[in-house]
């Protein structure tokens, strides 16, 4: 037999099989891939059952945060006086006669206490162009005057620092026609006593 090997005697030369390194590399890579996929799948399952440290999709990812408006309680205010505790002087500053008495009678029916009834002083006589002028001491600005103002919407309000006593004046002006209807005045008085709470805006996630 020719070639590289020569056979002598009854022994044959030992021939080694070539190593299949390619197959080993493929098997190794495949094993790594399988392990990686298995580990990733395990982590996904853990995330599903534990939440993965994130909020559920229904809660949003922070970009769907909505803005809610809630009504905050109104700040505590000094209770308003009842009409029966307010003494009103009704004064006529117009050239029309009888307005002071007619207006005073209507205010009395609505529960107000009536003081002086007559013509306005020289300081205001024929000088009030609007529907009327409400006058009172400084303490009446946020108490008696707003309550009396529900009876004559649009009337100007003024306070006099040097004024004594708790009585207030309703000076009838040239633009006066009549008091607000009792229904409207009662509604305004109710809203004045129970103001709506101020809304506050809060962004929640």
């Amino acid at each position: 037999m020719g070639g590289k090997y020569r056979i002598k005697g009854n022994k044959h030369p030992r021939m080694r099989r070539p190593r299949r390194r390619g197959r080993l590399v493929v098997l190794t890579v495949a094993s790594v891939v399988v392990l990686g996929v298995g580990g990733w799948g395990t982590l996904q399952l853990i995330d599903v059952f534990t939440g993965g440290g994130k909020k559920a999709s229904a809660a949003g990812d922070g970009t769907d945060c909505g803005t809610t408006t809630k009504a905050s309680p109104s700040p505590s205010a000094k209770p308003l006086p009842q009409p029966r505790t307010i003494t009103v002087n009704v004064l006529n500053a117009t050239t029309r006669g009888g307005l002071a008495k007619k207006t005073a009678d209507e205010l009395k029916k609505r529960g107000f206490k009536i003081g002086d009834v007559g013509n306005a002083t020289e300081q205001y006589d024929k000088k009030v162009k609007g529907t009327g002028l409400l006058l009172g001491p400084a303490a009446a600005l946020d108490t008696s005057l707003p309550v009396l103002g529900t009876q004559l919407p649009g009337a100007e309000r003024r306070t006099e620092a040097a004024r004594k006593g708790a009585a207030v004046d309703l000076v009838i002006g040239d633009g006066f026609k009549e008091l607000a209807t009792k229904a409207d005045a009662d509604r305004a008085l109710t809203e004045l006593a129970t103001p709506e709470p101020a809304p506050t805006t809060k962004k929640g996630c």
Side-chain angles (χ1 to χ4, degrees):
M1 174 181 289
K4 185 176 179 180
Y5 299 99
R6 296 182 63 188
I7 301 174
K8 295 181 179 181
N10 56 0
K11 293 184 179 181
H12 298 278
R14 182 175 298 176
M15 300 178 67
R16 297 181 180 177
R17 295 182 179 179
R19 297 181 179 178
R20 300 181 179 179
R21 295 182 179 180
R23 181 177 297 179
L24 291 177
V25 172
V26 172
L27 291 176
T28 302
V29 172
S31 299
V32 172
V33 171
V34 170
L35 290 175
V37 172
W40 181 81
T42 302
L43 290 176
Q44 292 300 311
L45 289 175
I46 294 175
D47 286 343
V48 169
F49 288 103
T50 64
K54 299 180 180 179
K55 295 181 179 179
S57 59
D61 58 359
T63 59
D64 296 332
C65 297
T67 300
T68 57
T69 301
K70 300 179 72 176
S72 61
S74 58
S76 57
K78 185 176 181 179
L80 294 172
Q82 296 295 320
R84 65 176 181 273
T85 65
I86 300 174
T87 299
V88 183
N89 301 317
V90 184
L91 308 174
N92 185 5
T94 74
T95 57
R96 292 174 285 170
L99 284 182
K101 185 178 186 308
K102 181 180 179 181
T103 303
D105 290 344
E106 182 62 28
L107 287 175
K108 186 176 181 179
K109 291 178 182 178
R110 300 183 184 187
F112 289 89
K113 295 174 64 176
I114 303 302
D116 296 334
V117 178
N119 294 325
T121 62
E122 184 179 354
Q123 180 181 0
Y124 298 107
D125 190 27
K126 300 180 183 65
K127 297 177 184 178
V128 180
K129 301 303 179 182
T131 57
L133 175 63
L134 307 183
L135 293 171
L141 181 61
D142 298 322
T143 55
S144 301
L145 291 184
V147 174
L148 182 57
T150 61
Q151 311 302 311
L152 187 59
E156 182 183 355
R157 303 175 192 176
R158 295 183 191 174
T159 59
E160 299 173 326
R163 182 164 179 154
K164 296 181 180 180
V168 294
D169 298 343
L170 190 161
V171 183
I172 300 173
D174 292 336
F176 178 86
K177 293 183 179 179
E178 61 182 3
L179 295 175
T181 63
K182 188 175 186 306
D184 289 342
D186 289 344
R187 187 181 305 110
L189 188 59
T190 300
E191 293 176 356
L192 184 65
T194 56
E196 294 183 359
T200 57
T201 302
K202 182 179 180 181
K203 185 175 181 180
C205 294

